[in-house]
Amino acid sequence: MPVLPETGFLRQPQVLVFVPISKSTLWRRIQAKSFPGPVKLSARVTVWRAEDVRRWISEQGQ
């Protein structure tokens, strides 16, 4: 099983490995501010900070 890195950037397919929801649900949650927003590195590259995803996952258990 893949390991969520401590730091760095994750592309959408990598995020969906650790957060088992659909792409549509991911973007709905981002719009609703219930999931960390992405960072645009360029016009065609969107990433999430691993730290933000890790924090979100840990908050879900509380």
Side-chain angles (χ1 to χ4, degrees):
M1 175 165 212
V3 176
L4 181 60
E6 292 289 328
T7 62
F9 294 119
L10 303 170
R11 300 289 297 266
Q12 180 177 300
Q14 294 169 301
V15 170
L16 294 175
V17 166
F18 299 107
V19 181
I21 58 177
S22 70
K23 290 183 220 176
S24 300
T25 300
L26 175 68
W27 289 101
R28 257 195 312 275
R29 289 186 177 194
I30 291 166
Q31 283 187 321
K33 307 281 190 224
S34 64
F35 190 82
V39 176
K40 291 286 281 181
L41 295 183
S42 69
R44 296 178 53 115
V45 178
T46 301
V47 296
W48 282 260
R49 290 182 185 91
E51 300 92 327
D52 293 345
V53 175
R54 183 178 286 281
R55 185 178 326 106
W56 182 85
I57 290 171
S58 70
E59 289 170 355
Q60 298 315 297
Q62 295 178 1

